[in-house]
Amino acid sequence: MFTRMQILETLIDVDNQGQLLPGLASSWSNDEDFTVWTFNLRPDVYFHDGTLMTADAVYKSLSVAFGKPTPFSKDMIANMEVVSEYSIKFTLNQSYRPFPSLLSNYTTAIVAPATFGKFNRIKTLIGTGPYQITHFEPPHNITTTRFDNYWGEPAVIENVEYVTGHRSETRALMVRTGQADIVYNLDPAAVSMLRTDSNVNVFSDRIPRTTLVKLNSGHPILSDVKVRQALSLAIDRKGIASGVMRISNISADQLFGPNIRDWHIRSTTDNATNTISMSDADNNPTIKNSVENGDLLLNRKKAAQLLTDAGWLVGEDGVRYKDGSPLTLDMITYANRPELITIATAIQDQWASIGVKLSVHMENVSAIPSGHADGTLQTALMARNFANIPDPLGIMLADFSSKEGGDWGPMNWQNEKVFSDLKTLSHTTDEHAYKSLISSIMQEVQQDVPLIPVMYYVQQTATSSRLRNFSFDPYERSFRVSQMRIAP
């Protein structure tokens, strides 16, 4: 929230297409094998306490950050050193092509040395952004005021307040009654209501987030790829998209959506259809069946056959059994995103049609990484954010390059070809070979089904009619309030 509220900033910024841009670093360079990276800092950048941002300050900030949780392994960094007053260099233990994208993550935001107290504990948050904190009441409220000595384009709106609103209908009422100028994460019912209000503007934006079913591939049932493929084929993605989300063309047939270039297997039709062409499907039996059949009933027939081939036979109660044990699974999901429990219930019904008995449990969002860590998780429905590291290679290396997987990625999944290809990809300099490896990796991931994509994500946002210049950041790094203004 501190980066979204534009209090804190990172060395690297990201545009709407996920391409890296200069942030607090004005430029960067690397050696031939992507092991040495040098970042040149912007001069004349001031922290909110009036002190100058130098390489020493950046070094201090990142040294503390690297000692805390980040979405990447800090073991890759062998050394970090100050080269000059406005230059800092990183030496890595291995080649790592997407390294700059890691420094766009909010965990690496730069704070002033005075931020830290004893034992490097944060005593007051001092950033470089166009807004500075005036009041903080976690987790319910952050109040900010404009920082007039900001290095970039100054903000127009003087004061901005962030307030949590736990229910979608509550947020919708807040924007209708003028209690809020912007509200995020609206459910379909709230969107339908707000579209009829002339004093409210509603925005729908595709973002690099995919609703997925996380699978424990080490589970006795889910270790069989035929079972994983069957579960994927049995899901009515179009029905969920139109019936639950009330949005067409967001069915997810692969991990990354069409807005994530290179990593989405392209269709010969318009990208908005989110479909796979037959030329791509020829190399992937799971997708090929989906494309050729097209009809949900035929997909489920194929799913049923896969389960039968795997030894799971239908009992008198409609549930499948193998060696006397029923095909039963648990799924956990969470309330932070209001549509998830409805989607989980729909999947429960759809899997029942092929003889799978699914129990759905609403948990705190932390139950997913906790279940991954202690091995108790079987399946989980989640909305996976692929924007934390804007280069998908960083995400793949973190989550898909070892059996350990990731909290929000595969679990107990073993695929040596993918592991090897990703390692090669991390230091490949030939662009043709780079794209060819990506295609091979993604087809292998689709075939092996360590995760089941369900739908691509659309962020539903509403603003008051008095707000001008609103734009949504698809990488969810910033609310971009500094670019907005209030109509007189």
Side-chain angles (χ1 to χ4, degrees):
M1 294 312 305
F2 296 123
T3 50
R4 292 188 186 188
M5 287 291 288
Q6 297 180 275
I7 298 163
L8 303 182
E9 297 177 305
T10 53
L11 294 183
I12 306 297
D13 206 348
V14 182
D15 68 13
N16 284 4
Q17 288 72 47
Q19 301 302 301
L20 303 185
L21 298 173
L24 293 177
S26 57
S27 63
W28 58 94
S29 59
N30 57 274
D31 64 353
E32 289 185 357
D33 66 352
F34 304 108
T35 57
V36 179
W37 294 85
T38 303
F39 293 80
N40 300 311
L41 307 178
R42 293 183 186 275
D44 302 322
V45 173
Y46 288 90
F47 290 107
H48 297 153
D49 63 354
T51 59
L52 193 65
M53 185 193 76
T54 63
D56 286 329
V58 170
Y59 181 93
K60 169 67 175 178
S61 182
L62 291 177
S63 294
V64 176
F66 291 156
K68 297 184 177 184
T70 62
F72 57 89
S73 173
K74 279 86 66 175
D75 294 341
M76 72 174 69
I77 302 173
N79 188 46
M80 176 174 62
E81 62 180 300
V82 172
V83 178
S84 67
E85 187 177 11
Y86 292 104
S87 182
I88 191 165
K89 182 170 74 173
F90 299 84
T91 302
L92 309 184
N93 285 312
Q94 59 188 29
S95 299
Y96 195 83
R97 180 177 175 133
F99 182 70
S101 69
L102 304 184
L103 299 182
S104 72
N105 185 264
Y106 68 89
T107 60
T108 65
I110 304 302
V111 296
T115 289
F116 304 109
K118 192 175 182 180
F119 305 118
N120 286 327
R121 291 175 180 158
I122 293 179
K123 61 180 182 179
T124 181
L125 199 60
I126 306 170
T128 59
Y131 288 100
Q132 55 188 326
I133 294 177
T134 55
H135 178 73
F136 180 40
E137 187 180 341
H140 302 292
N141 177 280
I142 304 172
T143 304
T144 67
T145 190
R146 181 174 58 211
F147 178 49
D148 292 328
N149 203 20
Y150 180 57
W151 62 268
E153 190 71 25
V156 175
I157 297 173
E158 185 173 354
N159 300 300
V160 183
E161 183 179 8
Y162 169 80
V163 180
T164 58
H166 297 292
R167 296 175 63 87
S168 178
E169 54 266 38
T170 301
R171 295 192 291 273
L173 287 172
M174 288 177 72
V175 75
R176 287 192 75 179
T177 58
Q179 296 178 64
D181 284 299
I182 311 173
V183 291
Y184 297 90
N185 295 337
L186 296 168
D187 65 19
V191 170
S192 297
M193 175 187 69
L194 292 175
R195 288 194 188 279
T196 65
D197 193 325
S198 60
N199 293 317
V200 176
N201 297 314
V202 179
F203 299 85
S204 298
D205 296 275
R206 287 181 179 270
I207 62 177
R209 185 189 291 270
T210 304
T211 300
L212 304 161
V213 178
K214 177 183 173 76
L215 303 174
N216 179 356
S217 296
H219 186 272
I221 293 174
L222 299 170
S223 60
D224 191 331
V225 67
K226 291 181 180 178
V227 174
R228 301 198 300 269
Q229 290 174 343
L231 294 176
S232 180
L233 282 167
I235 294 177
D236 180 6
R237 293 166 172 81
K238 290 184 178 179
I240 290 172
S242 60
V244 177
M245 300 307 298
R246 305 179 193 176
I247 304 172
S248 60
N249 298 329
I250 59 170
S251 310
D253 45 31
Q254 53 189 293
L255 191 65
F256 296 112
N259 55 336
I260 301 182
R261 296 183 296 181
D262 292 338
W263 292 82
H264 178 85
I265 299 176
R266 295 295 176 179
S267 167
T268 56
T269 58
D270 184 80
N271 284 344
T273 64
N274 292 344
T275 58
I276 299 294
S277 70
M278 288 304 301
S279 60
D280 289 320
D282 286 340
N283 296 317
N284 191 318
T286 303
I287 296 176
K288 184 174 181 179
N289 277 292
S290 178
V291 174
E292 288 178 339
N293 295 331
D295 186 276
L296 177 63
L297 294 177
L298 292 177
N299 278 347
R300 286 184 179 168
K301 183 178 179 180
K302 174 62 177 176
Q305 185 60 54
L306 283 168
L307 291 178
T308 299
D309 294 345
W312 293 97
L313 305 179
V314 180
E316 293 181 359
D317 57 358
V319 177
R320 290 180 178 268
Y321 290 81
K322 182 178 181 179
D323 299 329
S325 299
L327 208 174
T328 59
L329 292 168
D330 290 332
M331 174 180 283
I332 59 175
T333 191
Y334 48 93
N336 301 51
R337 298 193 173 269
E339 74 284 352
L340 290 180
I341 186 61
T342 308
I343 295 173
T345 305
I347 292 174
Q348 181 184 49
D349 182 67
Q350 291 162 15
W351 283 0
S353 70
I354 59 168
V356 179
K357 187 176 181 180
L358 179 69
S359 297
V360 176
H361 308 277
M362 180 76 82
E363 302 279 358
N364 188 284
V365 66
S366 62
I368 294 177
S370 175
H372 181 106
D374 64 21
T376 58
L377 184 144
Q378 295 181 17
T379 76
L381 183 70
M382 60 191 193
R384 172 67 197 267
N385 182 8
F386 291 120
N388 280 340
I389 302 175
D391 187 333
L393 177 55
I395 293 168
M396 297 298 291
L397 286 167
D399 287 358
F400 288 79
S401 60
S402 70
K403 186 178 179 181
E404 287 72 25
D407 290 346
W408 304 99
M411 177 179 177
N412 295 322
W413 176 63
Q414 188 81 23
N415 189 308
E416 293 301 332
K417 184 178 188 308
V418 171
F419 298 168
S420 175
D421 284 352
L422 281 170
K423 185 177 181 180
T424 301
L425 200 62
S426 69
H427 56 77
T428 298
T429 57
D430 181 274
E431 288 302 314
H432 178 75
Y434 184 76
K435 292 183 178 180
S436 178
L437 273 172
I438 289 175
S439 179
S440 174
I441 289 167
M442 296 315 296
Q443 288 182 13
E444 189 72 22
V445 167
Q446 285 182 302
Q447 171 64 22
D448 223 16
V449 202
L451 302 165
I452 300 177
V454 179
M455 69 174 192
Y456 302 126
Y457 212 84
V458 173
Q459 173 66 268
Q460 306 279 20
T461 312
T463 70
S464 66
S465 58
R466 73 175 190 149
L467 194 70
R468 300 288 186 270
N469 299 340
F470 172 82
S471 70
F472 182 79
D473 177 4
Y475 279 79
E476 299 182 279
R477 293 169 43 79
S478 168
F479 289 139
R480 297 178 171 174
V481 177
S482 67
Q483 303 171 13
M484 303 176 201
R485 63 183 179 84
I486 300 294

